[in-house]
Amino acid sequence: MKRILLFVHFNKYNDLSKHVLYTLEKMSPLFERTIFISNSLFPDSKRELINPYITDFIQRENKGFDFAAWRDGLEFVGYEQLKIYDSLTLMNDTCFGPLYEMLPYYKKYEEQHTDFWGMTNHRSYQESKHHYFEEHIQSYYKVFSKKVLQSETFKNFWQDIKDFTEVQEVIDHYEIQSTSAFLKAGFQYESILDTRELDNSRLLHPDFSYYAPDVILQNQVPFIKVKAFQGIENAGIVKYMVDYIEKYTDYPVELLLSHLSTVGYPDQNYMLARKYLKPVAKIKVTKKIAVHLHVFYIELLSDFLDAFNNFHFEYDLYLTTNTKDKEDQIRKILSERDTEAVLVRTPNYGRDLIPFLSLKNMLRRYDIVGHFHTKRSLEAAFFAGESWRTELMDMLIAPADNIIYSFERDSNLGIVIADIPTFFRFNRVVNPDSENQMIAPLMNDLWERMEMKKKVNFHEISTFTMSYGTFFWSKVDTLEPLFNVQIMEKEIPQEPLPQNTILHAIERILVYMAWDKDYDFRISKNKEELTPFIDNRTLNQRFYITPENVKNIRLKFVAKLLVKKMIRFVKYRTYKLLGRDLTSFM
């Protein structure tokens, strides 16, 4: 069989995700000709990666989305030339797959002489008074037979495609009509998963590709939509979707996670358990490494130097402190221990971060830098600071060899942070409302000042995945934007340092800086095992109910429930009277 594929690609960061390469690798053997159409600016450096899997490349502006791209691809081939093929496949990169072999499906529908077919269909549906969905094959994967390709209906449909600027217009005029137009012409279709008779009572909308990914997976549909992993409706089950794919298919889920981490925020809940740093075999270290320690408490210096002595890789040590007296004491300790280090006296503001940033011109000579400080928490009880520091050392300094080997092995690794110290699991120290009001604006401002390429609104992120205590190992490349920002002394309050300062913003922004470079992050696990029931108790604090009020609780609950139901009923009747969308009531 002579088959042809028109594959539409779009990446909002003008890049190429590895899952697209996997799709091309698995699909290209099915086709005599594969035309790759990029609706985003395709990087020249990545062309050689796709060349083994394609026969033609088209670069175009993202006008009219995928339907206009397919139209341009068909014109590139020519409608007469198209008739020599037994089938045409139109697909885009909005899905992960194939999860299963595709050749059996092509053989099945070719043997049955099916006119056209796809992955999933969408039943006819009255969404609102003014909006009706006709039954149609969803457009992310559609195959037309030779019989259809030779028809005037096919040519007329595609020649009439216009460059709509709104996605909904494309759906209404082309995705839906690309089925109904051919049905009206007498052609028949099939879909790998026919959703028309499936139970949709629990779905907000009968789009199974988005709202029912469990049904897609359980019915072994070979492709699953990217947006099924991104929608808030599926947030609670994405972890299990990934696990299912990993267990029951051969699809490499790291490609899926890498793409989702790159185009969306890198620290979604379902991703975090997979961010733990794993043990790697010892390998030769070629990276140039610097270790920075800010020494405010001299009495803790030896603890850190002892820990550094266990490193099995070469590194240059940089120490900073804030007074001449401390500087003299440090030099004495270094001499007694026969330890070499570059010692720099820095101004006494900005805690450990401003001293670290003052070394930026020296640190730029390195590939990897570790940043630590002799931490104590004078604002909290003795045990808070002690547990915090010792656990951070156990997570980031004790396993430093494995961390450095991980950087050597994984070029995509941008930063390694510690897991949450136990103190923060017994004590609700971080107030999310305060962070949203006070720190998120500082992070947004810093992001803009660093001229980062990815758009982010830190108000959207409910809780930041941060480098507690600002202990971390990082690629210097990750830190470069921060090195380039001039942080003025007036931006940093005097000691005792209050909460919600630019220093706290920097502590929280580092993981997202790696994300902006398309790097990933890893978490070094805390060896202190605490049951999640502790987090549950810490976070879910109930209001206290006095014994005399206990009897009234049930009555108050019923009264509130009745009021809520009455408000919902009034809103429903009002919306229905005005002909507005009733989706939210379903």
Side-chain angles (χ1 to χ4, degrees), residues 180-241:
S180 58
F182 295 101
L183 290 176
K184 290 174 184 176
F187 298 110
Q188 299 298 315
Y189 85 86
E190 291 191 40
S191 56
I192 291 176
L193 177 62
D194 189 341
T195 69
R196 290 174 296 181
E197 301 301 323
L198 296 179
D199 178 20
N200 72 322
S201 59
R202 66 180 179 86
L203 305 184
L204 184 64
H205 182 99
D207 178 356
F208 282 78
S209 72
Y210 178 78
Y211 291 101
D214 53 334
V215 176
I216 298 295
L217 291 172
Q218 289 173 337
N219 283 274
Q220 297 189 343
V221 178
F223 285 88
I224 184 167
K225 296 284 287 182
V226 172
K227 67 180 183 180
F229 296 83
Q230 297 172 317
I232 191 171
E233 296 84 358
N234 297 332
I237 63 168
V238 173
K239 186 264 186 199
Y240 310 105
M241 293 162 56

Side-chain angles (χ1 to χ4, degrees), residues 508-550:
R508 287 153 175 76
I509 209 168
L510 296 172
V511 162
Y512 308 98
M513 289 172 57
W515 167 70
D516 189 73
K517 294 277 188 180
D518 293 331
Y519 293 143
D520 205 350
F521 73 96
R522 287 292 178 267
I523 303 167
S524 187
K525 197 169 188 177
N526 196 333
K527 293 181 181 179
E528 293 283 339
E529 292 189 1
L530 298 179
T531 169
F533 280 113
I534 294 171
D535 306 270
N536 194 47
R537 288 177 177 271
T538 302
L539 297 175
N540 297 321
Q541 296 293 325
R542 298 179 181 178
F543 291 108
Y544 177 67
I545 300 172
T546 61
E548 56 269 23
N549 289 332
V550 169

Side-chain angles (χ1 to χ4, degrees), residues 9-17 38-46 59-60 62 263 453 518:
H9 164 263
F10 176 80
N11 185 291
K12 65 180 180 179
Y13 297 121
N14 297 323
D15 203 352
L16 175 70
S17 291
S38 184
N39 275 356
S40 56
L41 187 61
F42 196 84
D44 290 337
S45 60
K46 302 290 179 72
Q59 175 70 70
R60 67 185 300 277
N62 190 26
V263 299
K453 70 176 183 179
D518 293 331

Side-chain angles (χ1 to χ4, degrees), residues 319-333:
L319 303 178
T320 53
T321 194
N322 62 304
T323 68
K324 175 66 165 60
D325 180 56
K326 291 180 183 178
E327 192 175 2
D328 292 340
Q329 293 182 63
I330 291 171
R331 291 191 188 281
K332 182 180 178 181
I333 293 171

Side-chain angles (χ1 to χ4, degrees), residues 429-482:
V429 178
V430 175
N431 184 309
D433 291 332
S434 177
E435 298 233 319
N436 195 27
Q437 293 173 18
M438 306 298 293
I439 297 183
L442 294 173
M443 296 170 72
N444 282 335
D445 176 67
L446 189 57
W447 195 262
E448 185 175 343
R449 287 165 62 182
M450 290 190 295
E451 299 181 345
M452 309 303 266
K453 70 176 183 179
K454 292 184 178 179
K455 291 183 179 180
V456 60
N457 179 4
F458 287 104
H459 291 293
E460 294 178 345
I461 303 176
S462 57
T463 300
F464 304 118
T465 304
M466 65 179 182
S467 55
Y468 280 81
T470 329
F471 279 43
F472 60 83
W473 290 93
S474 176
K475 277 185 176 175
V476 173
D477 184 37
T478 296
L479 303 170
E480 191 62 39
L482 188 59

